[in-house]
Amino acid sequence: MLRIEAAYKSFDGFIAVNGSHLSVEKGEVVAVIGPNGAGKTTLFNLITGQLIPDKGKILFKDENIAGLPPYKICRKGISRSFQIVNIFNRLTVFENVQIAVLSHQKKTFNLFFPAKNLAISKTRDILDSVGLIDKAGHISGTLSHGDQKVLEMAIALGNKPELLILDEPTAGMSPEETAFTLSLMKKLSGELGLTILFCEHDMELVFSIARKIMVMQQGSTIIQGNPDEVKNNRQVQDAYLGGSDECFK
Ligand code: ADP
Ligand code: MG
């Protein structure tokens, strides 16, 4: 579904993504791990069009999408959430998701068909599936941090993606919120069959859901493999823990 070949991105001479590669098959849950500053967010920005690669290919369903604007990439079936929550704070939970649904359905505001009545059942379905239906009328800015991160996922789902990209979905969450997010990701992958690509520092979460893990260091891909291959890779052990696999236990 997604294949990144030798992607490069530099900022004023600093190479943030340095020949990285990655592949994601349909239906897979793939994690990207690596220390802060490894280039994970930059890589995601290259996939979703927030940034344009200097070199390399980003193939989505065999089409090179590198350099397309974010809205076109979104229309092709890739949605994402951000490391830093990105929602309309003053709108309700319902309205935030409804806008995404309307935008996906390409419905414009129309005198004869008030926008408020559009996409109601679809929006309710999404809020129901992520557990936010009881908070549909709440002003989004007043939600807890954990609920805001989940709302961002719901907004991403409004675009009916084939590939969902999550940048640190549990950053700043309590253990309960993290557990809930993990179960939600399992549900999205299992019941809804979504393909998920995410990056995350919580190794317990990574190893409990990802069937494939890509490890990034200084902008490059060290390895991409199944959890056991990654745990047993010497370079990964050195990068992470000075030569032991303790942190993966
Ligand atoms: P990660 O998400 O793995 O923590 P990032 O992709 O955010 O890493 O950043 C990788 C490197 O690129 C970091 O050193 C960061 O400071 C740098 N970087 C990211 N975005 C920019 C930017 N817009 N301008 C300059 N440097 C950037
Ligand atoms: Mg990041």
Side-chain angles (χ1 to χ4, degrees), residues 11 14 16 35-42 83:
F11 300 107
F14 173 78
N36 272 329
K40 305 179 296 294
T41 295
T42 306
Q83 188 170 344

Side-chain angles (χ1 to χ4, degrees), residues 72-83:
K72 284 201 175 156
I73 293 174
C74 186
R75 291 253 160 92
K76 288 186 185 293
I78 304 179
S79 278
R80 73 175 291 182
S81 70
F82 290 83
Q83 188 170 344

Side-chain angles (χ1 to χ4, degrees), residues 211-226:
R211 295 280 61 89
K212 190 157 87 192
I213 298 169
M214 186 271 249
V215 186
M216 263 188 113
Q217 194 186 19
Q218 294 176 354
S220 302
T221 300
I222 298 183
I223 184 181
Q224 173 175 252
N226 67 40

Side-chain angles (χ1 to χ4, degrees), residues 17-154:
V17 172
N18 193 5
S20 184
H21 61 91
L22 170 71
S23 73
V24 179
E25 310 293 329
K26 189 173 164 54
E28 273 187 335
V29 178
V30 178
V32 176
I33 63 171
N36 272 329
K40 305 179 296 294
T41 295
T42 306
L43 187 71
F44 286 2
N45 285 338
L46 296 179
I47 301 170
T48 54
Q50 271 76 27
L51 291 172
I52 300 174
D54 302 331
K55 274 194 288 181
K57 283 186 183 160
I58 317 267
L59 298 162
F60 180 61
K61 297 195 286 187
D62 292 327
E63 178 189 355
N64 192 7
I65 57 167
L68 290 182
Y71 78 92
K72 284 201 175 156
I73 293 174
C74 186
R75 291 253 160 92
K76 288 186 185 293
I78 304 179
S79 278
R80 73 175 291 182
S81 70
F82 290 83
Q83 188 170 344
I84 296 160
V85 171
N86 196 15
I87 57 176
F88 292 114
N89 274 317
R90 293 186 183 194
L91 299 186
T92 63
V93 167
F94 188 88
E95 287 164 340
N96 262 288
V97 177
Q98 186 184 31
I99 286 170
V101 173
L102 286 170
S103 147
H104 175 70
Q105 295 177 349
K106 296 189 197 142
K107 295 264 165 53
T108 47
F109 295 85
N110 177 324
L111 213 60
F112 305 104
F113 207 149
K116 274 201 151 171
N117 298 332
L118 293 170
I120 287 179
S121 69
K122 178 74 197 147
T123 302
R124 291 190 69 83
D125 284 352
I126 293 172
L127 289 174
D128 202 22
S129 72
V130 302
L132 279 177
I133 193 72
D134 293 342
K135 295 177 182 152
H138 291 208
I139 297 297
S140 304
T142 65
L143 294 181
S144 70
H145 173 72
D147 280 346
Q148 289 188 1
K149 298 273 291 180
V150 172
L151 173 58
E152 224 199 341
M153 270 166 83

Side-chain angles (χ1 to χ4, degrees), residues 11 197 205:
F11 300 107
L197 171 67
L205 184 142

